Amino acid sequence: MAFLFGRSKQKSGADLAKIAKDLIPKIDGPTPQKIDDLVKTLAQMKVVLQGTQETESSPEQVSQLVQTVINEDLLLTLARSIHKLPFESRKDTQVIFSYVLRFKPSSSADASDPVALSFVVNHRPEVVTAICRGYDRKESALPCGSVLREILKHEVITAIVLYNEPGAVGDGANAPAGGAGAGAVAGIGTAGMPMPPNLNTPQTGEGVFWRFFDWIEKGTFEVSADAFTTFRDILTKHKTLLANYLYVNFDLFFSKYNSILVQSESYVTKRQSIKLLGEILLDRANYEVMMAYVDRGANLKLCMNLLKDERKMVQYEGFHVFKIFVANPHKSKEVQRILINNRDKLTRFLQHFLDDRTDDDQFIDEKDFLLRQIAAMPDNVNAIS
């Protein structure tokens, strides 16, 4: 029976969360044992949350762990430290984030928000911006991106990302990770409404959302691709929120989008960005944004240059943006002037444009339609009303 006295007591979920919080600040020290201890603790936390193939997770243990994660402010600590962890521990941390942020006690109403998510929104929005900043380092980019896309399904999380500004509550760049924050982004509730009071105030371009342009353009291939996927989700998941945001921040957003993404040196970034631009402009929710975009001659010139790109898929995606300018029945004088002055060149060019797409009936019909629209325009710029 002596072997029984050597058996260590299994740690509870609450104990594991406290141990992890205590170990994380110590992993920068000279003692490798601390890293090993943290690796084991995070792995055990993952098992508590999701169980194993042989055993199911205990609802009581999961609830205790989640509540302790909240009480210890562990999510912010993990978000800021995930890049320091070994590869497997980064994956474990990703699982921990996902389970904790979607956990609902069995007694909660179906319509209620997950308890940890509600805490983050109302008391620690810094967690969201810290997860975004995971893209600053290649080690943390993919696990943070995965967690971020999951929580961006909630409109309020997207709002936190969009309306973040340096130095504001919820920025979290220098906030301590030792307890509940001073409050959430002003006016945002867990249901996503009401929205922040600065809805109609243009952004400075210094908040965390605007960092995506750099993460996409300057990151390694994997970081860039993952950041673009998240960027796309931000711009397409919550249409009403984004339609207003893009309209209010029109000049800043599209100056960056056109110059950094559409004109990127990266073929993948360039092609994806042009395709996403077309999707944004053709979405009914973005009608006012689309009209503002196609009203400007500089944007038309950009799209005309895309038609001449040496890569056919860039030409093809550019065509789907160009057609919006031509099909618009309310063209600005500037746009009409450009089309009329280039009518002959455009007609000759479009007649043989991507003529190898013989099986794409929709493309052929759209190209014919554009040729008719260009031909029907006034004979000279003096006839523009």
Side-chain angles (χ1 to χ4, degrees):
M1 299 294 289
F3 67 90
L4 292 175
F5 295 98
R7 184 180 295 173
S8 61
K9 181 181 178 182
Q10 186 175 3
K11 295 180 178 66
S12 68
D15 291 336
L16 291 171
K18 291 178 181 178
I19 292 170
K21 181 61 184 290
D22 180 63
L23 288 173
I24 289 173
K26 300 176 182 178
I27 60 176
D28 289 326
T31 311
Q33 183 62 37
K34 299 299 180 184
I35 297 178
D36 294 340
D37 291 344
L38 180 58
V39 167
K40 294 175 183 176
T41 301
L42 293 172
Q44 289 174 312
M45 288 176 65
K46 183 183 74 170
V47 170
V48 169
L49 289 168
Q50 69 176 17
T52 65
Q53 291 182 343
E54 292 78 24
T55 59
E56 294 184 1
S57 59
S58 162
E60 181 181 357
Q61 285 292 314
V62 172
S63 182
Q64 288 180 6
L65 189 152
V66 171
Q67 192 57 54
T68 308
V69 165
I70 294 171
N71 294 342
E72 296 290 328
D73 207 14
L74 184 56
L75 289 177
L76 183 57
T77 304
L78 282 172
R80 290 176 173 174
S81 306
I82 187 171
H83 64 280
K84 301 176 184 178
L85 303 176
F87 176 74
E88 288 299 326
S89 292
R90 295 199 295 270
K91 292 199 297 182
D92 290 344
T93 301
Q94 176 184 328
V95 172
I96 291 167
F97 262 102
S98 296
Y99 271 81
V100 169
L101 287 173
R102 67 171 181 259
F103 171 76
K104 291 184 181 183
S106 57
S107 59
S108 64
D110 290 341
S112 64
D113 287 321
V115 290
L117 185 72
S118 180
F119 169 79
V120 166
V121 168
N122 289 294
H123 301 289
R124 265 307 194 198
E126 299 97 324
V127 172
V128 179
T129 54
I131 294 171
C132 288
R133 290 191 177 96
Y135 282 119
D136 280 335
R137 298 176 175 89
K138 63 180 181 179
E139 294 84 1
S140 52
L142 271 58
C144 284
S146 178
V147 172
L148 186 57
R149 285 190 294 277
E150 187 169 346
I151 59 177
L152 282 170
K153 295 173 184 176
H154 301 270
E155 185 179 55
V156 64
I157 299 297
T158 302
I160 289 173
V161 175
L162 291 173
Y163 290 96
N164 165 260
E165 289 281 13
V169 175
D171 176 55
N174 300 302
V185 174
I188 304 182
T190 53
M193 295 295 286
M195 299 312 296
N198 61 342
L199 250 181
N200 296 313
T201 302
Q203 299 287 285
T204 64
E206 300 297 325
V208 72
F209 168 70
W210 304 96
R211 294 281 292 123
F212 276 89
F213 290 96
D214 287 335
W215 292 327
I216 293 169
E217 179 62 9
K218 298 178 181 178
T220 63
F221 179 81
E222 283 189 339
V223 172
S224 174
D226 199 275
F228 188 90
T229 301
T230 304
F231 183 69
R232 189 182 189 284
D233 280 0
I234 293 171
L235 293 175
T236 58
K237 290 293 184 183
H238 306 288
K239 297 181 183 300
T240 302
L241 173 67
L242 263 297
N244 183 81
Y245 186 85
L246 293 177
Y247 187 76
V248 171
N249 296 283
F250 182 92
D251 289 332
L252 178 60
F253 177 82
F254 283 105
S255 66
K256 287 181 176 288
Y257 197 99
N258 286 347
S259 63
I260 298 175
L261 301 185
V262 174
Q263 299 187 73
S264 172
E265 294 297 321
S266 164
Y267 167 71
V268 174
T269 298
K270 189 182 188 78
R271 178 185 169 187
Q272 288 182 325
S273 300
I274 300 166
K275 183 176 182 180
L276 177 58
L277 175 61
E279 292 176 13
I280 291 171
L281 297 179
L282 289 171
D283 194 309
R284 290 185 179 181
N286 296 323
Y287 177 78
E288 291 185 346
V289 174
M290 180 268 288
M291 291 303 294
Y293 191 88
V294 300
D295 199 52
R296 305 192 179 188
N299 294 334
L300 172 58
K301 290 179 181 178
L302 174 64
C303 290
M304 290 168 65
N305 285 329
L306 294 177
L307 298 179
K308 298 186 295 181
D309 193 277
E310 61 185 15
R311 294 155 296 193
K312 289 190 175 182
M313 287 309 301
V314 171
Q315 294 178 348
Y316 180 72
E317 299 299 349
F319 173 83
H320 288 297
V321 180
F322 172 75
K323 71 184 181 186
I324 306 173
F325 288 87
V326 181
N328 176 22
H330 308 292
K331 299 178 185 68
S332 68
K333 290 183 178 180
E334 184 181 14
V335 166
Q336 290 184 68
R337 188 176 295 109
I338 293 171
L339 291 175
I340 291 171
N341 286 338
N342 292 275
R343 184 208 314 267
D344 293 341
K345 292 180 181 178
L346 281 171
T347 299
R348 290 195 299 270
F349 179 80
L350 288 174
Q351 285 174 343
H352 302 287
F353 178 66
L354 297 181
D355 50 11
D356 57 339
R357 299 184 71 90
T358 54
D359 296 331
D360 191 338
D361 292 338
Q362 181 176 342
F363 170 74
I364 294 171
D365 290 344
E366 288 179 343
K367 189 170 70 167
D368 289 342
F369 173 77
L370 296 191
L371 285 167
R372 292 195 301 272
Q373 289 293 108
I374 293 172
M377 294 190 69
D379 292 336
N380 58 70
V381 295
N382 295 325
I384 298 175
S385 57

